[in-house]
Each structure stands twice: as C-alpha cells, then as structure tokens.
Amino acid sequence: MAKVLEGLYYSESHEYVRVEGDFGYIGITDYAQNALGNVVYVDMPDVDDEVTAGEEFGAVESVKAASDLMSPVTGVVVEVNEALEDQPELVNQDAYENWIIKVEISDKSELDNLMDAKAYAAFCEK
C-alpha cells in the first residue's frame, strides 16, 4: 500500500501540498510515483511563474508514461527543486521529501477543496 502522510493536503490527480506558513510545497504522492514507475524527467515551471488550482504546471515522465502535473493551489512559484533536474529518480526514492515546486499560496481557502490523509487513503483504495 502507498504511503500517505498526515498533515498534507491531497488532490484527486495525486499531487500533495505541504503548507508551511504562506508557502506550499507541491509534489506527487507516493501512490503516483508507484503507478508511474521509474521517473526519468520532471518538467517544472520557472520561478515567478503563476500556477492555478486545477491547472497543469508541468509533467513527470517515466519509462512507462508521461503524466501532467496539476496544481492543487493557486500561487506564484518561489522555488523549484533543482535536484530533480539531474536526479529525477529522487521522486521514486521519497516522493514526500522530494517536492517539485514551492509556491506562495494566494488563497488558502482552496485547501478546503483538497483531501486530508484519511480521505486520500480511502480514495486510493477505490
């Protein structure tokens, strides 16, 4: 069974956001990296790009498939995880440690549209 961490917010498209103050660290869940298999490339936006909740902000490519990344929240990208440019497989090693982008969240009420760990675990079992 895929690892689901408490205290994160989850989307139905298998992204998570870890909120720290006004910032959110966005990545793909353990379930998603498991389904994708070996990640070979992560396409990320640039710093200062805007991301919108429910819209694509990049992609993850694996040996099996490519999958669009959908932002769980709206905000401005303040950092990208540069380690993933050279080592995209870090996502497979620990999807929750190896976030993809850090955004300054514009509207925290959007978090209410996401699932908590318990709801996401149940969602993945369906």
Side-chain angles (χ1 to χ4, degrees):
M1 165 130 177
K3 184 166 72 171
V4 177
L5 298 188
E6 289 291 334
L8 303 180
Y9 296 89
Y10 297 90
S11 69
E12 289 189 357
S13 52
H14 304 290
E15 286 84 16
Y16 68 83
V17 58
R18 182 177 81 234
V19 178
E20 291 182 9
D22 293 331
F23 298 97
Y25 293 85
I26 298 171
I28 63 169
T29 65
D30 190 52
Y31 180 93
Q33 73 77 21
N34 224 6
L36 279 166
N38 294 338
V39 174
V40 294
Y41 179 71
V42 181
D43 180 31
M44 297 177 274
D46 295 321
V47 170
D48 293 332
D49 279 1
E50 231 171 87
V51 295
T52 304
E55 293 189 11
E56 183 188 332
F57 71 84
V60 175
E61 294 177 20
S62 72
V63 289
K64 289 199 283 195
S67 182
D68 288 341
L69 294 166
M70 308 303 273
S71 185
V73 292
T74 300
V76 175
V77 178
V78 292
E79 194 180 336
V80 297
N81 188 345
E82 292 179 0
L84 298 179
E85 290 173 7
D86 296 325
Q87 297 177 285
E89 68 277 4
L90 289 171
V91 171
N92 294 120
Q93 290 167 20
D94 190 334
Y96 297 114
E97 257 325 285
N98 295 291
W99 49 273
I100 296 170
I101 59 172
K102 177 182 176 183
V103 299
E104 186 167 3
I105 301 172
S106 318
D107 181 2
K108 283 200 173 162
S109 72
E110 291 176 342
L111 297 169
D112 299 339
N113 303 328
L114 301 170
M115 293 176 274
D116 64 9
K118 187 176 175 189
Y120 181 70
F123 176 77
C124 289
E125 283 173 15
K126 286 181 187 164

